[in-house]
Amino acid sequence: MNQAEIRKLIPAVRVAINAKHRKFSNPKGPEGRLTMLRKTVTELVKLERVELNYQRGDEARGYAERLIAMAIKHGDRHIPTMEMANYWLTEKQLVHKLFKVLAVRYKDHTESYTKLHKAPNIYPGFYRERVVLELKGNPFPPLEKKNSSHNWIHNILLEEAHQDYIRKKLKEGERSN
Amino acid sequence: MSCYYTGLARSDLKPPVASRSRRIKRCRCKCYGHPKTVMVMAVVAAAALRSSSTRLSRLLPGVCGEAWGHQARRGAVLRVLPFIPTQDPDVIKKMPEDFRAVYPEFLPGPKPEYRNRLREKLERQDMLARRSVMPIPEFYVGSIMAVTVADPNASGKNNRFVGICIQRGDAGLRAWFILRNVVDHQGVEIKYEMYSPLLQSIEVLRLEKRLDDELLYLRDALPIYSTFPLDMEPEVMQEGAPVPVNPIKVQLKPRPWHERWERKNLQGVMDLGLPERFYKKAKLHEKPWEKYDLMKEYRATIPEEEQADIFREISPHYPLMESTRRRGKRKRVLPSIS
């Protein structure tokens, strides 16, 4: 039966997610998978920037986004949110950080709370797609530099041509008046 | 490489190799596999986007949903992109709290592989058109309803059945519910598709909810719990009152049952009275970590913003739907004695 659950209203996750969950074969099965992702989410909240394999990072990203969205929406007086934070963050001072620091930081954000960058390969060795998962607004220097095309020669010339066109139009307007 | 069935070009299909299995690689965009359907959908898509400059050849592969910007593929894996509203969000239309409970079939099924925004939009239009012809009342699992269907072989050409709604499912035009009753000591269940043109009328004789979302355990319960008179009259309903929850606890017949009810965490059944080993085994099958699985929960729902978007889309018709719903409830109120 393809029918949506209507008991809870959940805000949209602002990142791209896989249609199906990743199984992550684990000796303990699905419980072990959640334990592994729990460790990743805890590390992310603690360190604010972690380097992982792509599959684990992408999966943990969804959980991190949902956890932060819940903390922002409900606050720390809401019991189910507290229980969820208690489960996902194994170090208890991070629960305080989630509600007092991260929820406040991302209160007015309209985009995602995390960013996933591609990381360089670990060479030599079997190719593993590496990523860096970080919380936005972290205190570290940025990983990617913004390549602004504002000062490129053709953009400067185009900008000037545009200004010339506007001046010409204004002059014509004054003349007709 | 092109799909064997539809002829659509697909980059992720590989050419058949002698060493590989001879199974024909089918187009995984789930485009029903029939060229005619694909052509019809392509024409519809083209008509819908005639004003845009998108070429038809680029539309064809995406007719099944991928071109609409909601899905992407990373290799062979389907990605669901962040939600983008289709309606103007500046138009303030607050979604009512009970919208998703009263009209659950307007929300699409959550599985991304089966989703197609255009199809959902067209279905919602068709659903509203059908509702204007045959009003569908508010009902829940546990409500007692009477449905008349057109039947060419019945006397009077109509067939009326009264029963308790034990399950309701699917979304869009495929939405259905199952009514159960015991007629001449024989349990009878009928599945009705809500938007089928064969349905002449749906009346709710008793509007109530139960403690469970599905009452499939009534199959294993004593027949008295599923028996309702076929000539039952619609019952009184207080105007403006919330939908009552029937806290009845049903008694099940002795085992064997259709399902292992001790593992289902049912609220609406009496103590099952099973030996201890059943409950021990049930405990081994429990998954207490599932309630913390945020993404599993998310993938089974339609997000809040999307529900609000859908409501905004149908909001011009909402006052009519609500007045029909209230009129249906009001009919059953007894005239006051003065």
Side-chain angles (χ1 to χ4, degrees):
Chain A
M1 226 190 336
N2 193 17
Q3 193 183 35
E5 263 286 319
I6 53 168
R7 270 171 289 201
K8 275 198 213 169
L9 257 187
I10 301 177
V13 164
R14 294 167 189 165
V15 295
I17 54 168
N18 272 14
K20 279 215 175 97
H21 67 283
R22 291 179 179 87
K23 273 194 196 169
F24 291 123
S25 72
N26 193 292
K28 291 210 187 83
E31 191 179 6
R33 170 184 173 274
L34 275 194
T35 312
M36 183 262 281
L37 288 166
R38 208 185 349 170
K39 275 191 235 166
T40 314
V41 171
T42 307
E43 288 281 291
L44 176 67
V45 170
K46 182 165 151 188
L47 304 169
E48 297 200 26
R49 186 184 278 177
V50 278
E51 186 178 337
L52 318 149
N53 291 334
Y54 166 72
Q55 311 293 342
R56 186 165 169 168
D58 190 64
E59 198 76 9
R61 194 179 183 198
Y63 288 96
E65 291 272 336
R66 273 232 56 208
L67 187 67
I68 297 170
M70 269 183 98
I72 294 169
K73 183 175 179 187
H74 297 124
D76 58 353
R77 292 285 142 221
H78 191 239
I79 295 174
T81 312
M82 282 296 275
E83 284 179 3
M84 204 60 86
N86 188 37
Y87 177 85
W88 281 99
L89 303 169
T90 50
E91 290 169 36
K92 296 312 144 195
Q93 65 263 36
L94 294 175
V95 176
H96 292 286
K97 182 178 176 183
L98 173 72
F99 289 108
K100 305 290 180 200
V101 176
L102 299 180
V104 172
R105 195 197 291 179
Y106 299 126
K107 199 161 41 88
D108 300 316
H109 260 59
T110 49
E111 285 189 347
S112 63
Y113 314 120
T114 59
K115 200 148 166 48
L116 199 67
H117 306 268
K118 284 163 87 64
N121 294 354
I122 296 169
Y123 180 84
F126 180 71
Y127 169 64
R128 267 179 250 269
E129 203 175 339
R130 298 286 283 178
V131 291
V132 174
L133 178 60
E134 64 167 9
L135 293 175
K136 286 186 182 170
N138 64 62
F140 308 118
L143 283 171
E144 289 175 39
K145 51 176 187 183
K146 256 192 167 171
N147 292 323
S148 165
S149 58
H150 176 69
N151 289 327
W152 295 0
I153 183 65
H154 56 282
N155 280 335
I156 294 172
L157 294 171
L158 278 168
E159 188 60 39
E160 270 308 309
H162 182 58
Q163 296 299 330
D164 274 340
Y165 175 78
I166 290 171
R167 272 180 235 126
K168 200 163 77 178
K169 280 282 165 184
L170 280 172
K171 261 195 211 134
E172 277 173 21
E174 280 171 18
R175 226 175 283 154
S176 61
N177 287 351
Chain B
M1 198 60 208
S2 56
C3 169
Y4 177 82
Y5 293 97
T6 65
L8 297 178
R10 289 293 306 218
S11 56
D12 52 298
L13 298 183
K14 295 183 184 62
V17 166
S19 57
R20 276 209 195 98
S21 76
R22 292 167 136 262
R23 188 167 66 87
I24 292 159
K25 298 279 191 260
R26 194 208 168 108
C27 190
R28 267 175 284 158
C29 66
K30 304 269 196 305
C31 50
Y32 305 107
H34 195 279
K36 244 192 218 166
T37 330
V38 174
M39 283 304 127
V40 165
M41 288 179 82
V43 164
V44 167
L49 288 158
R50 206 168 282 143
S51 52
S52 80
S53 56
T54 334
R55 282 182 347 212
L56 186 61
S57 55
R58 259 206 293 144
L59 274 179
L60 268 174
V63 151
C64 313
E66 289 173 320
W68 310 112
H70 311 285
Q71 293 173 340
R73 278 197 184 265
R74 192 181 193 269
V77 172
L78 184 66
R79 302 275 282 169
V80 179
L81 301 177
F83 174 68
I84 303 164
T86 55
Q87 308 294 313
D88 186 3
D90 293 330
V91 173
I92 310 289
K93 280 248 186 278
K94 195 167 183 314
M95 179 174 74
E97 277 300 315
D98 59 355
F99 171 68
R100 63 189 198 275
V102 178
Y103 309 102
E105 71 273 10
F106 279 89
L107 299 180
K111 262 194 166 174
E113 304 94 64
Y114 299 162
R115 290 201 62 182
N116 182 335
R117 298 310 202 268
L118 179 64
R119 185 196 68 224
E120 286 156 22
K121 206 181 173 80
L122 295 171
E123 280 196 344
R124 279 193 287 271
Q125 282 177 18
D126 284 349
M127 283 153 76
L128 291 167
R130 178 70 189 155
R131 272 175 180 261
S132 66
V133 169
M134 186 201 81
I136 297 172
E138 173 191 4
F139 68 95
Y140 302 94
V141 166
S143 308
I144 298 159
M145 301 156 68
V147 175
T148 43
V149 281
D151 189 356
N153 303 316
S155 62
K157 302 292 177 193
N158 274 354
N159 211 331
R160 187 172 191 265
F161 185 71
V162 172
I164 182 169
C165 177
I166 59 170
Q167 198 183 25
R168 73 185 285 191
D170 273 357
L173 288 170
R174 259 165 284 115
W176 50 261
F177 58 92
I178 302 179
L179 294 187
R180 180 183 168 80
N181 205 339
V182 174
V183 177
D184 283 343
H185 306 288
Q186 171 64 58
V188 176
E189 286 180 14
I190 306 184
K191 184 178 195 175
Y192 292 105
E193 296 193 329
M194 279 154 73
Y195 293 92
S196 164
L198 291 172
L199 259 62
Q200 304 298 297
S201 78
I202 305 175
E203 308 158 43
V204 172
L205 305 174
R206 191 193 298 168
L207 178 65
E208 64 178 13
K209 291 189 208 183
R210 294 280 199 119
L211 296 171
D212 297 303
D213 284 335
E214 290 177 351
L215 300 177
L216 300 172
Y217 55 78
L218 289 179
R219 290 169 186 161
D220 292 320
L222 298 177
I224 185 72
Y225 295 102
S226 312
T227 320
F228 302 96
L230 293 170
D231 52 0
M232 192 166 158
E233 290 291 326
E235 287 185 10
V236 182
M237 178 79 190
Q238 287 292 339
E239 177 138 13
V243 177
V245 179
N246 190 346
I248 191 170
K249 299 259 182 191
V250 149
Q251 188 184 351
L252 298 189
K253 291 191 278 202
R255 279 181 71 245
W257 294 327
H258 288 84
E259 289 217 44
R260 295 176 204 262
W261 299 120
E262 73 275 6
R263 295 188 190 178
K264 297 286 174 180
N265 198 19
L266 303 172
Q267 303 300 311
V269 295
M270 268 189 227
D271 179 39
L272 298 167
L274 294 171
E276 196 47 48
R277 58 192 164 94
F278 285 93
Y279 300 110
K280 278 206 194 115
K281 265 279 178 68
K283 242 193 158 55
L284 292 175
H285 286 265
E286 260 172 38
K287 299 178 190 175
W289 60 85
E290 262 193 6
K291 65 174 183 282
Y292 300 114
D293 199 337
L294 292 165
M295 290 312 290
K296 187 183 176 99
E297 178 186 59
Y298 182 73
R299 286 188 175 99
T301 57
I302 302 293
E304 193 177 350
E305 287 87 342
E306 190 152 9
Q307 291 192 22
D309 196 62
I310 290 166
F311 176 73
R312 251 184 230 112
E313 189 192 308
I314 69 162
S315 54
H317 302 267
Y318 191 69
L320 183 63
M321 285 158 73
E322 282 292 281
S323 70
T324 321
R325 172 159 78 114
R326 265 177 270 119
R327 214 183 310 132
K329 278 192 182 173
R330 224 179 292 145
K331 250 191 229 164
R332 298 198 296 276
V333 169
L334 284 173
S336 59
I337 304 158
S338 52

